[in-house]
Amino acid sequence: MMKKIKVGIIGATGYAGVELVRLLLLHPCVELTALSSVSYEGKKISQVYPNLKDICDEVLQNEDIIDKCDVVFTSLPHGLSEKFAAKCLANGVKMIDLGADFRLDSAEEYSKWYGKKYEEEDIHSQALYCIPELHRKQYISQPIIGNPGCYPTSIALGLAPAIGLAIDNTVVIDSKSGVTGAGRGLADNTHYPNCNEAFSPYKVAAHRHTPEIEQTLSKLKGKKVNVTFVPHLLPVNRGIVSTIYFNVDRPINAEELRELYATYYKDEKFVRVLELGEVANLRNVKYSNYCDISIHYDEHTQRAIIVSTIDNMVKGAAGQAIQNMNIMFKLDEDSGLNYIPPSF
Amino acid sequence: MMKKIKVGIIGATGYAGVELVRLLLLHPCVELTALSSVSYEGKKISQVYPNLKDICDEVLQNEDIIDKCDVVFTSLPHGLSEKFAAKCLANGVKMIDLGADFRLDSAEEYSKWYGKKYEEEDIHSQALYCIPELHRKQYISQPIIGNPGCYPTSIALGLAPAIGLAIDNTVVIDSKSGVTGAGRGLADNTHYPNCNEAFSPYKVAAHRHTPEIEQTLSKLKGKKVNVTFVPHLLPVNRGIVSTIYFNVDRPINAEELRELYATYYKDEKFVRVLELGEVANLRNVKYSNYCDISIHYDEHTQRAIIVSTIDNMVKGAAGQAIQNMNIMFKLDEDSGLNYIPPSF
Amino acid sequence: MMKKIKVGIIGATGYAGVELVRLLLLHPCVELTALSSVSYEGKKISQVYPNLKDICDEVLQNEDIIDKCDVVFTSLPHGLSEKFAAKCLANGVKMIDLGADFRLDSAEEYSKWYGKKYEEEDIHSQALYCIPELHRKQYISQPIIGNPGCYPTSIALGLAPAIGLAIDNTVVIDSKSGVTGAGRGLADNTHYPNCNEAFSPYKVAAHRHTPEIEQTLSKLKGKKVNVTFVPHLLPVNRGIVSTIYFNVDRPINAEELRELYATYYKDEKFVRVLELGEVANLRNVKYSNYCDISIHYDEHTQRAIIVSTIDNMVKGAAGQAIQNMNIMFKLDEDSGLNYIPPSF
Amino acid sequence: MMKKIKVGIIGATGYAGVELVRLLLLHPCVELTALSSVSYEGKKISQVYPNLKDICDEVLQNEDIIDKCDVVFTSLPHGLSEKFAAKCLANGVKMIDLGADFRLDSAEEYSKWYGKKYEEEDIHSQALYCIPELHRKQYISQPIIGNPGCYPTSIALGLAPAIGLAIDNTVVIDSKSGVTGAGRGLADNTHYPNCNEAFSPYKVAAHRHTPEIEQTLSKLKGKKVNVTFVPHLLPVNRGIVSTIYFNVDRPINAEELRELYATYYKDEKFVRVLELGEVANLRNVKYSNYCDISIHYDEHTQRAIIVSTIDNMVKGAAGQAIQNMNIMFKLDEDSGLNYIPPSF
């Protein structure tokens, strides 16, 4: 029997961190070796998340867990992951970062959007930004993977097959995210009476995921792509729906457009291209690693409309990170990820 | 003391109908004379809507109520209002139709989108389509008012000041509506476990409000405007948020754009143009007749982004209908509509 | 025309405070003279609550507002109202306290449950605890009214007609409250992802409203009443439902029980005793000052079951406080409170 | 390798049926052989439940599936399962009924509460009603298992350890269920705008689960137990919380009461007895087969308060049915049921 992979999580009590715990506990090839949380060191994780009682009563440790692990997931606010990356590299430990620190190629862009500088810029060349369906072929043996953001994942998967056809500067992305996307920290806009029976965009055309979205799309297209991106806070716990609009540079119809997507994703387990007439709905993917995409074409204005939906905490965070781990360790890519989205 | 206006409602047990009841009961110049409901004839309205117990225990009548009234509100599925309009005209009774039958100028467009023909086309020339802030000057003494749809109201108010600047075929409208917009009838997509913790567009680029939206915008611009319009079902009871994207035909910045809106609506009580940096949220308008509009400009792609929000059942239906009644009867336009949106 | 009552609110940015603002702005006999908020002094209230934009843009003041007012509403954490009461008494200004400081007769009970002592015990003898339907006859000219808690209001109204029949120590009260009951302060249990799609009791048999409930019931019955009271946090914004169980000391049936309630409340506008077979639902009272009560009798176990529901922020707080103000100023008791609960 | 169990589901498109599909697809010892649905015969199940697309695209069959199976789950409205039971018996196929037809010992009680008669009364003697934690020892080789109702499961688990101590006629059960408990059929009370931001009991002291609850408790206590049972409709998708009140017949304190529960369930994987001070919350068990129980004691009224929570669709339906299947086939009782409740 294969030796299990020793896995550690730094930032285990954030939302992405505890979702990693939930999924990794049932991964057949993983041994959850160490959980770290600065905020709750010394407590059991099941005291912080009582859903885990009797299932995972691990005591949360400080951050010195790297040398016990084969791979470490870091799930931290931006700016905190670099030092762990350096230590992982020094110890020959792999690392998958769920934060923003290994997503952007450009140090200037990072600095502009996140207000911090890369401290150790050379480390970043050893990291791969990886949405598996789009970038897995680029994985050789990079020791670090920058796990994509939730919005960028839904959008890149929704645009990849057609970005070549999109006319410059016609791409408008209207995304809606469930409240877990805002994380565990208390804030006015996530206080229940403020976001229940409410709806609004936020950070209009100013969200930090914008450069990440444009970086991925530009690489796919082979030239700079600019997009307008507006996220909205949706009164549900989980899920992202991105409604994506763009004009295409040639005569096309809905059938052809759908065929383009179906072909592009024909071997992908986790991307489901819906039939024409069907509409992607977050309720069909929640609690799973699936991305559902529906294809629409407005003849009237010659505009393509793509609806892409994922569970922000699974395909948009912890699930995709595990998919990346599976790639790193040459496991079946869906190992530990065979969750069936519930019907309700 | 002024004699009260005798008001009847045909279709009083639909969602817009019962919202009319709620608002008209407290209108200082109105006497609610007769409520009609085919489905519940003979029952008290408070048996159908127990929130009205002891407040309005009127018995629901058949449709023969026109001759008792000064004005009749019709709130019916499309295709059913024309015959009441004819009868109102014959009886010298005014009529405000909350359905779709008096919204479109073009009989062909009506027929194309609603699958029915105008039976009595000459009647339609006596009707005015009226969003008060945009069309009140056109009111002379038309006996019929076609009350606008909920989506078109949010969108027309959100685009009117700037439609002159919008570049052809760049207008994308991503709207989200609370579930009352789907009405009282039971359906799979409004079954609680199907729409709670769910989100999805519907009738993508194929919603019946599209021709109404384009008709209003085209008249405002003085040339044909085409838009891409995608509605979404939002898991809240009330409210519409329309996020509207378009490119402008001249150099502009956010300040200038906001100024344009502030000037346009400077005398309007029910339209609130937010300050730059603020974002319109449906929770600030629900249960009221307000329309909140926030102005954003994406320098990066030179795209204007307007967020317009209303309560779909008030400004998007019953409240606006009463505003139109006030115009018809030369009352203060806000008479009976001074509801303050609650904080939660 | 009657001179308007000058009203001030201390604690105007808490949930009960801002609900007072909303309701008092439309009260025909009130002039809202001064709003005080320690947390937001110097800001406009509409900056804190943008729903009030253009409707109430008053600047929030410090606490020195008493001498400008005829009556002051205090809506503060417990222990902070006494000093304002003293100042009101000194200035001949009336006061209505929405907090807990003037609810309990017994200084010991207050101290036991709230962990603070009455500083000026003699003040309390000048205060009347007043649920209007039960205590209005006790109002002579007391300068202070202790406005009842939300749970106690729903429970006292639900039990008053039958408490004389209830067998000792059989009263079980299972209450469920919307999240606004927890107030404006951020907390883990009111973070959206924690209370959406969740449900749980809290402070089981240990909630501070217990002594207030027992005090009211004991006075009504003329002997000490003990109850088991368990509140639950309900994932809705507003409303309380109290399901109340007790055994009765004589043979009775549902009709007789209902008759008892109907007679008791026959002249009460704001209490609606439902017909047998109907069940009280918070959706029928929200945003209004009504209390709906349904009556049930379990023949099988000879147990009466009363369901009592109110809007926690209106009849359970701001609305009842205004009802008490109306009593103090000899206005019609429903003045400014004629809100019709919306159908959705 | 063990041969897989051939499983069929009759009523696969009801809520419990499709939840069975979701769970059984990942059961390591099961081959899902045939899915039957009268309403959707000939359609793929993934057309009815698009969350199953590409995961389970089985075509729904008519009811003639028994002879292909080792065991059949029936998930049907009451009164429809007997004929399948007869056929299963004739074919030597095991059956687990998720409906109400094999839950009550007494034909009269069944007839009284369900308005139908047992057609073939002798069949019922071959069925075992089985909440595994309470009744697994009674399983010998009965060919039919009557799977318990959702409310009764939460209540029986919550009362079993202490029912011996409960004083006669003091048991009050106040239960709250998510909306999936009402099933897939459209109804006014489950129309989104009617149950969102709403709360109410229903079938007060008249719910069909009452005789099932009393039957189980009476057997455990060895004498007739009467309870007052009031269910409420909770605006969440999933989960039941039962708050259970009773007086005990001896001096006791919270520690002793908890110890009683902890001992009773010490070997049970799926029942978690919380520590004193913790409160059971449905969010900690949803999407899992766990039952969380918290123990409280009101010294003041000498009343025990037990809070028991389950996921109504898993431990309250499909999960428990699979647990029963595992018992029937001598598998590990948790086989296929190792779901970890998500944190949000």
Side-chain angles (χ1 to χ4, degrees), chain C residues 204-325:
Chain C
V204 177
H207 192 282
R208 284 167 171 170
H209 282 173
T210 309
E212 182 185 343
I213 295 164
E214 295 189 342
Q215 172 181 289
T216 302
L217 297 178
S218 298
K219 286 183 182 176
L220 285 165
K221 192 176 176 79
K223 60 182 280 199
K224 181 73 179 92
V225 174
N226 290 331
V227 302
T228 290
F229 168 55
V230 178
H232 300 67
L233 187 65
L234 188 63
V236 304
N237 278 1
R238 285 166 170 262
I240 283 179
V241 173
S242 291
T243 313
I244 306 170
Y245 304 85
F246 57 95
N247 290 92
V248 293
D249 63 3
R250 69 201 67 173
I252 201 166
N253 60 34
E255 288 72 19
E256 292 164 334
L257 193 59
R258 188 196 171 274
E259 186 55 31
L260 192 69
Y261 277 75
T263 304
Y264 195 96
Y265 290 124
K266 70 179 187 312
D267 297 324
E268 294 300 338
K269 170 168 181 172
F270 290 126
V271 180
R272 301 189 292 195
V273 178
L274 305 191
E275 299 297 322
L276 288 183
E278 297 176 343
V279 184
N281 188 323
L282 70 80
R283 88 183 160 96
N284 293 324
V285 299
K286 64 185 176 182
Y287 295 101
S288 85
N289 202 50
Y290 287 92
C291 174
D292 275 7
I293 298 176
S294 66
I295 313 297
H296 313 269
Y297 188 70
D298 185 3
E299 297 279 354
H300 177 56
T301 58
Q302 287 148 326
R303 190 170 276 120
I305 304 163
I306 308 298
V307 185
S308 172
T309 184
I310 59 171
D311 184 308
N312 60 315
M313 299 309 297
V314 185
K315 184 63 180 168
Q320 184 154 268
I322 292 169
Q323 201 177 348
N324 277 323
M325 181 196 76

Side-chain angles (χ1 to χ4, degrees), chain D residues 14-32:
Chain D
Y15 276 175
V18 75
E19 188 77 348
L20 276 170
V21 171
R22 179 173 78 94
L23 298 177
L24 287 169
L25 279 168
L26 296 183
H27 194 298
C29 315
V30 161
E31 177 193 333
L32 211 46

Side-chain angles (χ1 to χ4, degrees), chain D residues 21-312:
Chain D
V21 171
R22 179 173 78 94
L23 298 177
L24 287 169
L25 279 168
L26 296 183
H27 194 298
C29 315
V30 161
E31 177 193 333
L32 211 46
T33 302
L35 304 179
S36 163
S37 164
V38 170
S39 323
Y40 296 99
E41 189 185 337
K43 279 201 164 184
K44 292 179 186 175
I45 191 167
S46 54
Q47 291 177 289
V48 186
Y49 288 100
N51 56 302
L52 296 177
K53 182 183 164 73
D54 296 355
I55 300 170
C56 180
D57 296 313
E58 287 294 302
V59 174
L60 295 158
Q61 308 178 34
N62 67 23
E63 300 169 339
D64 276 338
I65 64 167
I66 288 174
D67 51 13
K68 307 171 192 164
C69 302
D70 298 318
V71 60
V72 166
F73 291 88
T74 46
S75 182
L76 299 165
H78 64 271
L80 301 181
S81 295
E82 264 185 337
K83 66 171 180 179
F84 296 108
K87 199 169 165 201
C88 281
L89 289 177
N91 283 264
V93 171
K94 296 181 202 294
M95 172 172 146
I96 298 170
D97 182 42
L98 283 81
D101 293 358
F102 293 93
R103 292 178 185 161
L104 296 183
D105 295 341
S106 156
E108 296 96 282
E109 284 284 296
Y110 179 78
S111 172
K112 173 182 160 197
W113 288 88
Y114 290 93
K116 289 191 179 176
K117 292 201 167 173
Y118 286 160
E119 303 278 318
E120 315 194 41
E121 214 172 322
D122 53 324
I123 285 183
H124 295 268
S125 63
Q126 303 188 52
L128 178 70
Y129 175 85
C130 188
I131 297 175
E133 290 78 5
L134 307 181
H135 309 119
R136 70 166 74 87
K137 286 183 185 161
Q138 297 166 33
Y139 186 76
I140 311 170
S141 61
Q142 293 90 334
I144 302 169
I145 286 185
N147 203 56
C150 50
Y151 286 123
T153 297
S154 73
I155 293 161
L157 290 172
L159 267 172
I163 191 67
L165 284 64
I167 298 179
D168 281 2
N169 200 16
T170 66
V171 182
V172 169
I173 303 160
D174 190 290
S175 292
K176 302 88 179 172
S177 170
V179 184
T180 50
R184 181 165 205 262
L186 306 183
D188 271 333
N189 69 329
T190 53
H191 189 47
Y192 185 89
N194 288 347
C195 65
N196 180 47
E197 298 294 294
F199 187 75
S200 175
Y202 65 101
K203 292 184 190 155
V204 177
H207 192 281
R208 286 167 169 170
H209 283 173
T210 309
E212 182 185 341
I213 294 163
E214 295 189 343
Q215 172 181 289
T216 301
L217 296 177
S218 298
K219 285 184 183 177
L220 285 165
K221 193 176 175 80
K223 60 182 282 200
K224 181 73 180 91
V225 173
N226 290 330
V227 304
T228 289
F229 168 56
V230 178
H232 300 66
L233 188 63
L234 187 64
V236 302
N237 278 0
R238 286 167 170 258
I240 284 179
V241 172
S242 291
T243 313
I244 306 169
Y245 305 84
F246 58 94
N247 290 93
V248 292
D249 62 4
R250 69 200 67 174
I252 201 166
N253 60 33
E255 287 72 18
E256 291 164 333
L257 193 59
R258 188 194 171 274
E259 186 56 30
L260 192 69
Y261 277 74
T263 303
Y264 195 95
Y265 289 125
K266 70 180 188 313
D267 297 325
E268 294 300 338
K269 169 166 181 174
F270 290 125
V271 180
R272 301 190 291 196
V273 178
L274 305 191
E275 300 297 322
L276 288 183
E278 296 175 344
V279 185
N281 188 322
L282 71 80
R283 90 182 158 95
N284 294 324
V285 300
K286 65 185 175 184
Y287 295 100
S288 85
N289 202 49
Y290 287 92
C291 174
D292 275 7
I293 298 176
S294 67
I295 312 296
H296 314 269
Y297 187 70
D298 185 3
E299 297 278 355
H300 176 56
T301 58
Q302 287 147 327
R303 190 170 275 120
I305 304 163
I306 308 297
V307 186
S308 170
T309 184
I310 59 171
D311 183 309
N312 60 316

